[in-house]
Amino acid sequence: MDEAVVVGAQMSVKVHPVVVLSILDHFMRRKENQDRVIGTLLGYHNTIDGVIEIRNCFPVPHNEDDAVAMDMVFHKDMYDLHQKTEPKEVIVGWYATGLDITENSVIIHEFYNKEVITANAVHLLVDSALSNDCLGLRAYSGTNLTVGEKQMGAYFQPMGIELITTIVDKVGLEALSRTKSSEGAAKLETDMKSLKGSISKLSEMIDDVVKYVDLVAEGKIKGDPAIGRYLAKSVAALPQVDPDNFEKYFNNRVQDMLMVVYLANLTRTQIALAEKLQRSLP
């Protein structure tokens, strides 16, 4: 009798915040008495670096009462629609809420393994219950266990997972973080508040770098060569600008931005007045 063979290669996973938020939104809108929700993960495969980047997802209606039942037509239609807007994003796996891998998970994963072309499907678990007051993310690569040509089961191997953010993601996450202590929709900051916040954060980071360099220079802590090279590269990237000219240039840009804000508010006021006058006239 042949020995059991595990098929599949170990890869790491990078997840964008919009994916996690979409999964949580799906869970909040689930049907009554539904324990978990599932959906399709979309993204890119980088077989050279061994990285799977998950950039998007969509929900898939399903039922696990008596047997596993998925809406295959809905899944196909949603994927076809997504391909019209993002043709480069392909199916990379599926997600589920909770931290348990059940027998039904094996059946669902087998379906997604057939949908994924370049590698084994990724199974992403999101801890919607916030165990230990933390949003847990786990990724698995499910591979078939076979004896000869007969499939005996599946083995879910843990994968490295990383949550990555872009500049746009950080703006949205910061806006959401400001609503932790209050109810209601998140509001974006004005241009002036955003500029002030960015300058304050930049000043704090520069202060931290100065403190670190001083401690290394005084011999109180051991310097990290990688950090030193990064700081040298960052300083070298700065343009050589005279302080007086920089201050003048910065002030001019601020004045230009204030002028744009003033004109925008003036235009908005004129439009509002015109609408009110038009409604008041017979």
Side-chain angles (χ1 to χ4, degrees), residues 192 195 199 241-261:
M192 286 301 299
L195 178 61
I199 294 175
V241 182
D242 183 73
D244 295 334
N245 292 334
F246 177 78
E247 183 177 0
K248 181 179 179 181
Y249 173 77
F250 181 80
N251 290 332
N252 290 338
R253 292 297 296 256
V254 172
Q255 291 176 3
D256 292 341
M257 187 179 68
L258 291 175
M259 179 60 68
V260 171
V261 173

Side-chain angles (χ1 to χ4, degrees), residues 170-277:
K170 291 180 180 178
V171 173
L173 293 174
E174 289 176 357
L176 291 175
S177 65
R178 291 193 293 270
T179 63
K180 289 190 297 184
S181 58
S182 61
E183 296 182 357
K187 296 182 179 179
L188 295 177
E189 292 182 337
T190 61
D191 292 339
M192 286 301 299
K193 287 186 178 180
S194 178
L195 178 61
K196 182 179 179 180
S198 299
I199 294 175
S200 299
K201 289 182 180 179
L202 178 61
S203 179
E204 292 175 0
M205 288 189 290
I206 292 176
D207 291 338
D208 292 339
V209 170
V210 171
K211 290 179 182 179
Y212 173 79
V213 173
D214 289 340
L215 290 175
V216 173
E218 294 172 2
K220 295 182 179 180
I221 61 174
K222 184 178 180 181
D224 188 343
I227 296 178
R229 288 191 295 269
Y230 183 80
L231 291 177
K233 183 179 179 180
S234 300
V235 173
L238 295 174
Q240 299 295 327
V241 182
D242 183 73
D244 295 334
N245 292 334
F246 177 78
E247 183 177 0
K248 181 179 179 181
Y249 173 77
F250 181 80
N251 290 332
N252 290 338
R253 292 297 296 256
V254 172
Q255 291 176 3
D256 292 341
M257 187 179 68
L258 291 175
M259 179 60 68
V260 171
V261 173
Y262 171 76
L263 292 175
N265 291 332
L266 182 61
T267 303
R268 189 182 301 111
T269 303
Q270 289 180 341
I271 294 174
L273 288 174
E275 289 179 352
K276 289 183 178 181
L277 289 175

Side-chain angles (χ1 to χ4, degrees), residues 103-119:
E103 294 180 358
N104 293 338
S105 299
V106 177
I107 299 174
I108 298 173
H109 196 82
E110 184 179 355
F111 164 75
Y112 278 98
N113 261 339
K114 298 176 182 177
E115 295 290 301
V116 179
I117 300 175
T118 55

Side-chain angles (χ1 to χ4, degrees), residues 13 15-16 18-30 34-42 54-62 64 70 74-75 78 91-102 104-105 108-109 111-112 116 121-128 136-140 156 161:
V13 176
V15 185
H16 286 256
V18 67
V19 176
V20 180
L21 295 176
S22 298
I23 295 172
L24 293 177
D25 180 70
H26 182 198
F27 181 77
M28 292 298 294
R29 299 173 185 271
R30 72 190 186 281
Q34 188 175 8
D35 295 331
R36 68 172 184 170
V37 295
I38 69 170
T40 302
L41 298 175
L42 303 167
I54 303 174
R55 299 178 60 90
N56 215 324
C57 67
F58 60 81
V60 176
H62 85 298
E64 298 183 64
M70 293 176 55
F74 181 88
H75 163 78
M78 286 293 294
I91 298 175
V92 296
W94 65 290
Y95 70 79
T97 53
L99 295 178
D100 297 328
I101 297 177
T102 64
N104 293 338
S105 299
I108 298 173
H109 196 82
F111 164 75
Y112 278 98
V116 179
V122 175
H123 181 27
L124 179 66
L125 289 177
V126 179
D127 183 14
S128 54
L137 297 176
R138 297 179 183 178
Y140 297 90
F156 287 87
I161 186 170

Side-chain angles (χ1 to χ4, degrees), residues 126-142:
V126 179
D127 183 14
S128 54
L130 300 179
S131 303
N132 300 321
D133 295 328
C134 178
L135 180 63
L137 297 176
R138 297 179 183 178
Y140 297 90
S141 174

